[in-house]
Amino acid sequence: MEKNIEKVLLSEEQIQNKVAEFAAILSEEYAGKNPLFVGVLKGVVMFFADVVRKVTIPCEMDFMCLSSYGGTTTTGNVAVKKDLSVDIKGRHVVILEDIYDTGNSLAFLHKYLLSKEPASLKICTLLDKPERRKPGITLKPEMVGFTIPNEFVVGYGLDFNEHYRNLPYIGVLKPEAYQK
Ligand code: IMP
Ligand code: MG
């Protein structure tokens, strides 16, 4: 195990089982609909790549990058750094996310994509940390992989200062790793 990891919260096997489960559900639900999977960079890269490789129906992919300014309003502190490259009007869109934390990013993104009039819009997030949710954010993702306690996690796309994204599992960092 990587030396700065205190404990493994979700093993590679647990994650991959969930990925397979989600891919099967999505393949069934969106058959014949040519869904567009929208990934939120960068945290979602591993989850996105694993899920779409197990999806068995024709589908398309696109990516967005958001930046957040840590303000206090519900959705006013998130900006689009990289926008979609296709028009989603009339499309069946599924947002793939790594984690639903304070909810700022997903609340913003959901509203933003709805304004572009997709035929449908659903959210599939690997992790949910409900204890961190900002009051007033009531959005409920249709698909949630794992509900986790209020601990900062890394691995499988999730970073601390851009490190640890390449770990195949999700773990909790040792306090020393933050203090360095
Ligand atoms: P939000 O607070 O729900 O808007 O989440 C914003 C983004 O912060 C997520 O998409 C993640 O990329 C990142 N994030 C939230 N919680 C964690 C964590 O525990 N570890 C690493 N990144 C996180
Ligand atoms: Mg993210």
Side-chain angles (χ1 to χ4, degrees), residues 124-145:
C124 174
T125 180
L126 179 63
L127 306 176
D128 181 13
K129 220 193 267 181
E131 286 169 57
R132 287 260 302 166
R133 200 87 69 247
K134 213 174 196 180
I137 297 187
T138 54
L139 188 68
K140 291 250 177 298
E142 285 75 13
M143 298 168 80
V144 172

Side-chain angles (χ1 to χ4, degrees), residues 67-73 77-78 104 134:
S67 60
S68 99
Y69 298 112
T72 50
T73 57
N77 53 342
V78 181
N104 280 333
K134 213 174 196 180

Side-chain angles (χ1 to χ4, degrees), residues 43 97-106 129 132 151-154 158-159:
E97 246 290 39
D98 51 359
I99 185 166
Y100 187 31
D101 189 45
T102 66
N104 280 333
S105 312
L106 274 177
K129 220 193 267 181
R132 287 260 302 166
E151 283 181 296
F152 192 80
V153 292
V154 295
L158 293 147
D159 73 304

Side-chain angles (χ1 to χ4, degrees), residues 39-168:
V40 186
L41 297 171
K42 300 177 213 171
V44 84
V45 285
M46 307 299 174
F47 180 53
F48 192 98
D50 284 347
V51 169
V52 295
R53 275 182 294 180
K54 285 202 155 61
V55 164
T56 55
I57 56 165
C59 61
E60 295 177 31
M61 307 175 204
D62 205 356
F63 297 93
M64 286 187 67
C65 190
L66 304 175
S67 60
S68 99
Y69 298 112
T72 50
T73 57
T74 315
T75 56
N77 53 342
V78 181
V80 176
K81 266 210 277 192
K82 184 229 167 286
D83 208 341
L84 293 170
S85 56
V86 294
D87 182 10
I88 63 166
K89 189 169 180 170
R91 298 290 308 270
H92 293 280
V93 177
V94 182
I95 300 171
L96 294 183
E97 246 290 39
D98 51 359
I99 185 166
Y100 187 31
D101 189 45
T102 66
N104 280 333
S105 312
L106 274 177
F108 169 86
L109 189 62
H110 190 257
K111 201 171 151 194
Y112 181 77
L113 295 185
L114 270 187
S115 76
K116 298 182 180 294
E117 303 176 37
S120 68
L121 180 63
K122 286 194 177 182
I123 299 171
C124 174
T125 180
L126 179 63
L127 306 176
D128 181 13
K129 220 193 267 181
E131 286 169 57
R132 287 260 302 166
R133 200 87 69 247
K134 213 174 196 180
I137 297 187
T138 54
L139 188 68
K140 291 250 177 298
E142 285 75 13
M143 298 168 80
V144 172
F146 302 95
T147 299
I148 63 167
N150 188 8
E151 283 181 296
F152 192 80
V153 292
V154 295
Y156 198 64
L158 293 147
D159 73 304
F160 172 64
N161 283 348
E162 293 301 325
H163 284 115
Y164 312 104
R165 291 192 197 274
N166 58 324
L167 299 175

